Amino acid sequence: MTRSFEKVGVVGLGTMGAGIAEVFARAGLTVVGVEADHEALGRGRSNLESSTGRALAKGRLSEAEQAEILGRVTLTTSLEDLADADLVVEAIPEIMDFKRTLFTELDRICKSSAVLATNTSSLSVTEIAATTGRPGRVVGMHFFNPAPVMKLVEVVHTVVTEDGLAEEVAALARRLGKTPVSVGDRAGFVVNRLLLTYLNHAAVMLENGLATREGIDTAMKLGVGVPMGPFALLDLIGLDTSYEVMCVLFQETRDRRHAPAPILRELVTAGLLGRKSGAGFYNGEAPPTPPAAGKPTVTSVAVLGEGAEEFAARLGDAGFKATTPQAATRADAGATEDATEDADVVVALSHTPVIELAARLPHPRRLVGLHLVGDKLAEVASTVLTSPEATCAVEGLVKIVGRVPVHCKDRAEFVVDALLYPYLNDAVRMYDSGYAGMDDIDAAMKLGCGYPAGPFETIDTLGLETVRDGLRALYAEYRDPAFAPAPLLDQLVTAGVRSIRGLS
Ligand SMILES: NC(=O)c1ccc[n+]([C@@H]2O[C@H](COP(=O)([O-])OP(=O)(O)OC[C@H]3O[C@@H](n4cnc5c(N)ncnc54)[C@H](O)[C@@H]3O)[C@@H](O)[C@H]2O)c1
């Protein structure tokens, strides 16, 4: 028999709990909101009033509707008032001891058929469930911030969750106007596990000096179309929260990639927590736009590599003497050098490091690698031999052809692909482990992060072989096992499969 959820409790009316209570009340459910004490209850009430007040001011609610919604919420400081609730959602701070104590109490107070749910972002739902005498009726219901706006809810089941319960909770989420995705109980679930791992990787890249924080942010926004670059997003999420989630992930996996980047710990220790403290990776302002590169002082440019003709033609139109020596391969480096002898700079269009080519030229200081990404971005890679003047000149040339230059070191896959491919690989491993379905993972990343496409859609767009080969190059460069292509991806490429989503 399907459960009916009509009376729900929400414990903790802070950032998340107040929003969750509002979501339930808007859907017509009776809500009991519980806070720790009277002072916190006052804050909870004003959280609720100001959130619905904003909707009223924007014309999304009438006064009568606001009153009706607030009228469905009873506020209390006594957990005993949850005795006849059908469902209780907990949204108290992310501290296991607090949650365990609370669930022991809820288990004692709530009727035996009641479902107990946690809004935890990273803690083990299984461990929380185990503190109760009804572990089969304890699930995760992970809402996103702000709960009234964000459509995604991760419904987390454990190995002991009663059959059918996760689907009943998902049906409730749909009734609330949300899109539920079903996930197993692993630290970070889908969104935080994939997102924070990628953000942490960006922080490691920054520490390694691959590019600047502005460069990495710009590259990801323009190259992938994500709404915010990783450092602006880390500042928004909060560096302390991000650090904690990484610690929980690392504790579970012992995977080096989940070890929080030391720069996160340093910033957090210094009290630089991101927007909430006024400064983090950025100092409270919007990320500055990188300074415009000056007009290049060079007059002649040799362009090598795939797409050289078109690039050179654009430079020619802009008044430069641009040549495209054909002998751009390593084996023909001598011929390349002859052909580039007169050029002030040599641009090697490439998606792989250019140091080998540079090392064979008598004037390697002039050679700069250039990776065109999409139609807006150009990664400008300088090798250990490249002169600052040549790099600067190429940044200027890139602007002339209407692209934004992002300077980086000459490393496998440069910036965008080096961040993107491991994220895609993580998603494939996640799917292959049976943890969540492809459609759910795609939906979670689109709805939870505002990404234009989910990871599996992105893999299909880029091509499975391109992603696999990019991962192989990253693995060869960094020797990080996490960059080795997921066996499933490798096998699909070998089998000639064109669409990974065709499997789902
Ligand atoms: N903030 C986010 O963006 C976000 C997003 C998704 C999930 N979460 C998760 O939601 C939970 C709550 O996070 P938050 O950001 O809303 O925290 P918060 O600090 O804003 O709110 C927590 C509230 O719980 C109350 N509280 C503490 N102990 C209590 C108790 N024993 N009984 C009743 N109330 C109690 C506090 O007074 C406070 O109002 C955490 O598990 C967090 O990981 C947070």
PDB file of all heavy atoms in Angstrom, residues 420-446:
ATOM      1  N   LEU A 420      37.710  18.928 -17.554  1.00  0.00           N
ATOM      2  CA  LEU A 420      36.461  18.323 -18.019  1.00  0.00           C
ATOM      3  C   LEU A 420      36.543  16.790 -18.113  1.00  0.00           C
ATOM      4  O   LEU A 420      35.639  16.084 -17.633  1.00  0.00           O
ATOM      5  CB  LEU A 420      36.115  18.912 -19.394  1.00  0.00           C
ATOM      6  CG  LEU A 420      34.823  18.439 -20.043  1.00  0.00           C
ATOM      7  CD1 LEU A 420      33.614  18.819 -19.194  1.00  0.00           C
ATOM      8  CD2 LEU A 420      34.683  19.021 -21.455  1.00  0.00           C
ATOM      9  N   TYR A 421      37.586  16.258 -18.711  1.00  0.00           N
ATOM     10  CA  TYR A 421      37.630  14.818 -18.967  1.00  0.00           C
ATOM     11  C   TYR A 421      37.614  13.982 -17.675  1.00  0.00           C
ATOM     12  O   TYR A 421      36.890  12.986 -17.595  1.00  0.00           O
ATOM     13  CB  TYR A 421      38.843  14.453 -19.836  1.00  0.00           C
ATOM     14  CG  TYR A 421      38.773  14.982 -21.261  1.00  0.00           C
ATOM     15  CD1 TYR A 421      39.909  15.086 -22.044  1.00  0.00           C
ATOM     16  CD2 TYR A 421      37.568  15.374 -21.825  1.00  0.00           C
ATOM     17  CE1 TYR A 421      39.859  15.564 -23.355  1.00  0.00           C
ATOM     18  CE2 TYR A 421      37.506  15.856 -23.128  1.00  0.00           C
ATOM     19  CZ  TYR A 421      38.652  15.944 -23.887  1.00  0.00           C
ATOM     20  OH  TYR A 421      38.594  16.407 -25.167  1.00  0.00           O
ATOM     21  N   PRO A 422      38.386  14.351 -16.662  1.00  0.00           N
ATOM     22  CA  PRO A 422      38.314  13.543 -15.427  1.00  0.00           C
ATOM     23  C   PRO A 422      36.922  13.584 -14.787  1.00  0.00           C
ATOM     24  O   PRO A 422      36.462  12.594 -14.219  1.00  0.00           O
ATOM     25  CB  PRO A 422      39.355  14.196 -14.509  1.00  0.00           C
ATOM     26  CG  PRO A 422      40.339  14.811 -15.458  1.00  0.00           C
ATOM     27  CD  PRO A 422      39.491  15.322 -16.593  1.00  0.00           C
ATOM     28  N   TYR A 423      36.243  14.717 -14.909  1.00  0.00           N
ATOM     29  CA  TYR A 423      34.868  14.818 -14.395  1.00  0.00           C
ATOM     30  C   TYR A 423      33.958  13.846 -15.159  1.00  0.00           C
ATOM     31  O   TYR A 423      33.147  13.126 -14.567  1.00  0.00           O
ATOM     32  CB  TYR A 423      34.409  16.280 -14.498  1.00  0.00           C
ATOM     33  CG  TYR A 423      32.928  16.499 -14.655  1.00  0.00           C
ATOM     34  CD1 TYR A 423      32.057  16.330 -13.572  1.00  0.00           C
ATOM     35  CD2 TYR A 423      32.384  16.891 -15.878  1.00  0.00           C
ATOM     36  CE1 TYR A 423      30.693  16.537 -13.722  1.00  0.00           C
ATOM     37  CE2 TYR A 423      31.025  17.104 -16.032  1.00  0.00           C
ATOM     38  CZ  TYR A 423      30.177  16.919 -14.955  1.00  0.00           C
ATOM     39  OH  TYR A 423      28.838  17.111 -15.111  1.00  0.00           O
ATOM     40  N   LEU A 424      34.120  13.811 -16.470  1.00  0.00           N
ATOM     41  CA  LEU A 424      33.314  12.890 -17.280  1.00  0.00           C
ATOM     42  C   LEU A 424      33.654  11.439 -16.913  1.00  0.00           C
ATOM     43  O   LEU A 424      32.769  10.581 -16.806  1.00  0.00           O
ATOM     44  CB  LEU A 424      33.570  13.133 -18.773  1.00  0.00           C
ATOM     45  CG  LEU A 424      33.223  14.542 -19.284  1.00  0.00           C
ATOM     46  CD1 LEU A 424      33.604  14.690 -20.759  1.00  0.00           C
ATOM     47  CD2 LEU A 424      31.734  14.861 -19.100  1.00  0.00           C
ATOM     48  N   ASN A 425      34.930  11.184 -16.708  1.00  0.00           N
ATOM     49  CA  ASN A 425      35.385   9.840 -16.334  1.00  0.00           C
ATOM     50  C   ASN A 425      34.777   9.419 -14.991  1.00  0.00           C
ATOM     51  O   ASN A 425      34.334   8.284 -14.815  1.00  0.00           O
ATOM     52  CB  ASN A 425      36.918   9.877 -16.212  1.00  0.00           C
ATOM     53  CG  ASN A 425      37.576   8.532 -16.426  1.00  0.00           C
ATOM     54  OD1 ASN A 425      37.074   7.706 -17.176  1.00  0.00           O
ATOM     55  ND2 ASN A 425      38.704   8.321 -15.765  1.00  0.00           N
ATOM     56  N   ASP A 426      34.747  10.364 -14.049  1.00  0.00           N
ATOM     57  CA  ASP A 426      34.138  10.076 -12.737  1.00  0.00           C
ATOM     58  C   ASP A 426      32.669   9.698 -12.906  1.00  0.00           C
ATOM     59  O   ASP A 426      32.160   8.807 -12.215  1.00  0.00           O
ATOM     60  CB  ASP A 426      34.213  11.311 -11.820  1.00  0.00           C
ATOM     61  CG  ASP A 426      35.622  11.578 -11.322  1.00  0.00           C
ATOM     62  OD1 ASP A 426      36.482  10.687 -11.433  1.00  0.00           O
ATOM     63  OD2 ASP A 426      35.866  12.701 -10.820  1.00  0.00           O
ATOM     64  N   ALA A 427      31.983  10.405 -13.815  1.00  0.00           N
ATOM     65  CA  ALA A 427      30.562  10.105 -14.034  1.00  0.00           C
ATOM     66  C   ALA A 427      30.395   8.699 -14.613  1.00  0.00           C
ATOM     67  O   ALA A 427      29.495   7.956 -14.217  1.00  0.00           O
ATOM     68  CB  ALA A 427      29.940  11.156 -14.961  1.00  0.00           C
ATOM     69  N   VAL A 428      31.293   8.312 -15.531  1.00  0.00           N
ATOM     70  CA  VAL A 428      31.204   6.967 -16.129  1.00  0.00           C
ATOM     71  C   VAL A 428      31.443   5.913 -15.047  1.00  0.00           C
ATOM     72  O   VAL A 428      30.715   4.925 -14.944  1.00  0.00           O
ATOM     73  CB  VAL A 428      32.231   6.791 -17.279  1.00  0.00           C
ATOM     74  CG1 VAL A 428      32.192   5.360 -17.808  1.00  0.00           C
ATOM     75  CG2 VAL A 428      31.954   7.775 -18.402  1.00  0.00           C
ATOM     76  N   ARG A 429      32.447   6.149 -14.203  1.00  0.00           N
ATOM     77  CA  ARG A 429      32.722   5.189 -13.121  1.00  0.00           C
ATOM     78  C   ARG A 429      31.523   5.097 -12.165  1.00  0.00           C
ATOM     79  O   ARG A 429      31.174   4.023 -11.678  1.00  0.00           O
ATOM     80  CB  ARG A 429      33.953   5.612 -12.325  1.00  0.00           C
ATOM     81  CG  ARG A 429      35.263   5.396 -13.050  1.00  0.00           C
ATOM     82  CD  ARG A 429      36.420   5.859 -12.179  1.00  0.00           C
ATOM     83  NE  ARG A 429      37.641   6.015 -12.934  1.00  0.00           N
ATOM     84  CZ  ARG A 429      38.492   5.024 -13.191  1.00  0.00           C
ATOM     85  NH1 ARG A 429      38.247   3.817 -12.751  1.00  0.00           N
ATOM     86  NH2 ARG A 429      39.580   5.243 -13.896  1.00  0.00           N
ATOM     87  N   MET A 430      30.922   6.265 -11.906  1.00  0.00           N
ATOM     88  CA  MET A 430      29.766   6.296 -10.998  1.00  0.00           C
ATOM     89  C   MET A 430      28.631   5.436 -11.563  1.00  0.00           C
ATOM     90  O   MET A 430      28.034   4.621 -10.872  1.00  0.00           O
ATOM     91  CB  MET A 430      29.304   7.754 -10.836  1.00  0.00           C
ATOM     92  CG  MET A 430      28.170   7.951  -9.875  1.00  0.00           C
ATOM     93  SD  MET A 430      27.706   9.697  -9.782  1.00  0.00           S
ATOM     94  CE  MET A 430      28.632  10.238  -8.385  1.00  0.00           C
ATOM     95  N   TYR A 431      28.360   5.623 -12.850  1.00  0.00           N
ATOM     96  CA  TYR A 431      27.304   4.842 -13.491  1.00  0.00           C
ATOM     97  C   TYR A 431      27.659   3.356 -13.490  1.00  0.00           C
ATOM     98  O   TYR A 431      26.845   2.507 -13.143  1.00  0.00           O
ATOM     99  CB  TYR A 431      27.096   5.340 -14.932  1.00  0.00           C
ATOM    100  CG  TYR A 431      26.342   4.361 -15.788  1.00  0.00           C
ATOM    101  CD1 TYR A 431      24.962   4.210 -15.648  1.00  0.00           C
ATOM    102  CD2 TYR A 431      27.013   3.544 -16.697  1.00  0.00           C
ATOM    103  CE1 TYR A 431      24.271   3.280 -16.412  1.00  0.00           C
ATOM    104  CE2 TYR A 431      26.333   2.606 -17.458  1.00  0.00           C
ATOM    105  CZ  TYR A 431      24.957   2.476 -17.307  1.00  0.00           C
ATOM    106  OH  TYR A 431      24.282   1.556 -18.045  1.00  0.00           O
ATOM    107  N   ASP A 432      28.909   3.071 -13.851  1.00  0.00           N
ATOM    108  CA  ASP A 432      29.329   1.681 -14.022  1.00  0.00           C
ATOM    109  C   ASP A 432      29.312   0.913 -12.697  1.00  0.00           C
ATOM    110  O   ASP A 432      29.198  -0.301 -12.670  1.00  0.00           O
ATOM    111  CB  ASP A 432      30.741   1.649 -14.635  1.00  0.00           C
ATOM    112  CG  ASP A 432      31.031   0.300 -15.268  1.00  0.00           C
ATOM    113  OD1 ASP A 432      30.064  -0.378 -15.680  1.00  0.00           O
ATOM    114  OD2 ASP A 432      32.211  -0.085 -15.320  1.00  0.00           O
ATOM    115  N   SER A 433      29.418   1.654 -11.582  1.00  0.00           N
ATOM    116  CA  SER A 433      29.402   0.961 -10.288  1.00  0.00           C
ATOM    117  C   SER A 433      27.965   0.657  -9.845  1.00  0.00           C
ATOM    118  O   SER A 433      27.756   0.120  -8.763  1.00  0.00           O
ATOM    119  CB  SER A 433      30.095   1.820  -9.230  1.00  0.00           C
ATOM    120  OG  SER A 433      29.312   2.975  -8.991  1.00  0.00           O
ATOM    121  N   GLY A 434      26.993   1.052 -10.673  1.00  0.00           N
ATOM    122  CA  GLY A 434      25.594   0.751 -10.353  1.00  0.00           C
ATOM    123  C   GLY A 434      25.005   1.702  -9.334  1.00  0.00           C
ATOM    124  O   GLY A 434      23.929   1.464  -8.780  1.00  0.00           O
ATOM    125  N   TYR A 435      25.674   2.812  -9.136  1.00  0.00           N
ATOM    126  CA  TYR A 435      25.287   3.727  -8.072  1.00  0.00           C
ATOM    127  C   TYR A 435      24.110   4.621  -8.466  1.00  0.00           C
ATOM    128  O   TYR A 435      23.254   4.938  -7.656  1.00  0.00           O
ATOM    129  CB  TYR A 435      26.528   4.551  -7.727  1.00  0.00           C
ATOM    130  CG  TYR A 435      26.325   5.696  -6.812  1.00  0.00           C
ATOM    131  CD1 TYR A 435      25.896   5.502  -5.507  1.00  0.00           C
ATOM    132  CD2 TYR A 435      26.568   6.988  -7.243  1.00  0.00           C
ATOM    133  CE1 TYR A 435      25.715   6.565  -4.659  1.00  0.00           C
ATOM    134  CE2 TYR A 435      26.400   8.051  -6.399  1.00  0.00           C
ATOM    135  CZ  TYR A 435      25.972   7.836  -5.113  1.00  0.00           C
ATOM    136  OH  TYR A 435      25.794   8.891  -4.281  1.00  0.00           O
ATOM    137  N   ALA A 436      24.080   5.039  -9.710  1.00  0.00           N
ATOM    138  CA  ALA A 436      22.965   5.873 -10.198  1.00  0.00           C
ATOM    139  C   ALA A 436      22.883   5.699 -11.706  1.00  0.00           C
ATOM    140  O   ALA A 436      23.881   5.365 -12.355  1.00  0.00           O
ATOM    141  CB  ALA A 436      23.216   7.335  -9.836  1.00  0.00           C
ATOM    142  N   GLY A 437      21.701   5.954 -12.258  1.00  0.00           N
ATOM    143  CA  GLY A 437      21.495   5.793 -13.702  1.00  0.00           C
ATOM    144  C   GLY A 437      22.029   7.003 -14.470  1.00  0.00           C
ATOM    145  O   GLY A 437      22.222   8.077 -13.906  1.00  0.00           O
ATOM    146  N   MET A 438      22.256   6.804 -15.774  1.00  0.00           N
ATOM    147  CA  MET A 438      22.793   7.912 -16.583  1.00  0.00           C
ATOM    148  C   MET A 438      21.842   9.090 -16.635  1.00  0.00           C
ATOM    149  O   MET A 438      22.268  10.243 -16.530  1.00  0.00           O
ATOM    150  CB  MET A 438      23.022   7.440 -18.015  1.00  0.00           C
ATOM    151  CG  MET A 438      24.328   6.762 -18.205  1.00  0.00           C
ATOM    152  SD  MET A 438      24.607   6.560 -19.966  1.00  0.00           S
ATOM    153  CE  MET A 438      25.283   4.918 -19.934  1.00  0.00           C
ATOM    154  N   ASP A 439      20.552   8.800 -16.836  1.00  0.00           N
ATOM    155  CA  ASP A 439      19.596   9.914 -16.924  1.00  0.00           C
ATOM    156  C   ASP A 439      19.552  10.675 -15.613  1.00  0.00           C
ATOM    157  O   ASP A 439      19.449  11.903 -15.599  1.00  0.00           O
ATOM    158  CB  ASP A 439      18.198   9.382 -17.264  1.00  0.00           C
ATOM    159  CG  ASP A 439      18.133   8.886 -18.694  1.00  0.00           C
ATOM    160  OD1 ASP A 439      19.053   9.202 -19.468  1.00  0.00           O
ATOM    161  OD2 ASP A 439      17.161   8.177 -19.021  1.00  0.00           O
ATOM    162  N   ASP A 440      19.619   9.929 -14.503  1.00  0.00           N
ATOM    163  CA  ASP A 440      19.592  10.592 -13.194  1.00  0.00           C
ATOM    164  C   ASP A 440      20.848  11.446 -12.990  1.00  0.00           C
ATOM    165  O   ASP A 440      20.777  12.563 -12.481  1.00  0.00           O
ATOM    166  CB  ASP A 440      19.480   9.551 -12.061  1.00  0.00           C
ATOM    167  CG  ASP A 440      18.027   9.142 -11.812  1.00  0.00           C
ATOM    168  OD1 ASP A 440      17.120   9.741 -12.435  1.00  0.00           O
ATOM    169  OD2 ASP A 440      17.793   8.240 -10.994  1.00  0.00           O
ATOM    170  N   ILE A 441      21.987  10.926 -13.395  1.00  0.00           N
ATOM    171  CA  ILE A 441      23.236  11.690 -13.215  1.00  0.00           C
ATOM    172  C   ILE A 441      23.191  12.946 -14.097  1.00  0.00           C
ATOM    173  O   ILE A 441      23.527  14.052 -13.651  1.00  0.00           O
ATOM    174  CB  ILE A 441      24.477  10.819 -13.530  1.00  0.00           C
ATOM    175  CG1 ILE A 441      24.564   9.648 -12.528  1.00  0.00           C
ATOM    176  CG2 ILE A 441      25.757  11.657 -13.475  1.00  0.00           C
ATOM    177  CD1 ILE A 441      25.654   8.616 -12.831  1.00  0.00           C
ATOM    178  N   ASP A 442      22.748  12.774 -15.338  1.00  0.00           N
ATOM    179  CA  ASP A 442      22.640  13.951 -16.222  1.00  0.00           C
ATOM    180  C   ASP A 442      21.684  14.986 -15.635  1.00  0.00           C
ATOM    181  O   ASP A 442      21.997  16.179 -15.585  1.00  0.00           O
ATOM    182  CB  ASP A 442      22.149  13.527 -17.614  1.00  0.00           C
ATOM    183  CG  ASP A 442      23.303  13.118 -18.540  1.00  0.00           C
ATOM    184  OD1 ASP A 442      24.476  13.315 -18.157  1.00  0.00           O
ATOM    185  OD2 ASP A 442      23.015  12.618 -19.644  1.00  0.00           O
ATOM    186  N   ALA A 443      20.506  14.504 -15.187  1.00  0.00           N
ATOM    187  CA  ALA A 443      19.505  15.443 -14.632  1.00  0.00           C
ATOM    188  C   ALA A 443      20.064  16.132 -13.396  1.00  0.00           C
ATOM    189  O   ALA A 443      19.892  17.348 -13.203  1.00  0.00           O
ATOM    190  CB  ALA A 443      18.219  14.686 -14.286  1.00  0.00           C
ATOM    191  N   ALA A 444      20.751  15.368 -12.538  1.00  0.00           N
ATOM    192  CA  ALA A 444      21.272  15.938 -11.293  1.00  0.00           C
ATOM    193  C   ALA A 444      22.267  17.058 -11.587  1.00  0.00           C
ATOM    194  O   ALA A 444      22.230  18.124 -10.965  1.00  0.00           O
ATOM    195  CB  ALA A 444      21.939  14.842 -10.455  1.00  0.00           C
ATOM    196  N   MET A 445      23.162  16.848 -12.548  1.00  0.00           N
ATOM    197  CA  MET A 445      24.184  17.863 -12.810  1.00  0.00           C
ATOM    198  C   MET A 445      23.583  19.086 -13.508  1.00  0.00           C
ATOM    199  O   MET A 445      24.024  20.209 -13.279  1.00  0.00           O
ATOM    200  CB  MET A 445      25.339  17.284 -13.644  1.00  0.00           C
ATOM    201  CG  MET A 445      26.112  16.190 -12.926  1.00  0.00           C
ATOM    202  SD  MET A 445      26.538  16.585 -11.194  1.00  0.00           S
ATOM    203  CE  MET A 445      27.837  17.798 -11.392  1.00  0.00           C
ATOM    204  N   LYS A 446      22.559  18.871 -14.305  1.00  0.00           N
ATOM    205  CA  LYS A 446      21.923  20.035 -14.963  1.00  0.00           C
ATOM    206  C   LYS A 446      21.114  20.846 -13.951  1.00  0.00           C
ATOM    207  O   LYS A 446      21.226  22.064 -13.886  1.00  0.00           O
ATOM    208  CB  LYS A 446      21.033  19.566 -16.123  1.00  0.00           C
ATOM    209  CG  LYS A 446      21.844  19.155 -17.339  1.00  0.00           C
ATOM    210  CD  LYS A 446      20.978  18.971 -18.560  1.00  0.00           C
ATOM    211  CE  LYS A 446      20.212  17.669 -18.495  1.00  0.00           C
ATOM    212  NZ  LYS A 446      19.529  17.338 -19.740  1.00  0.00           N
TER     213      LYS A 446
END
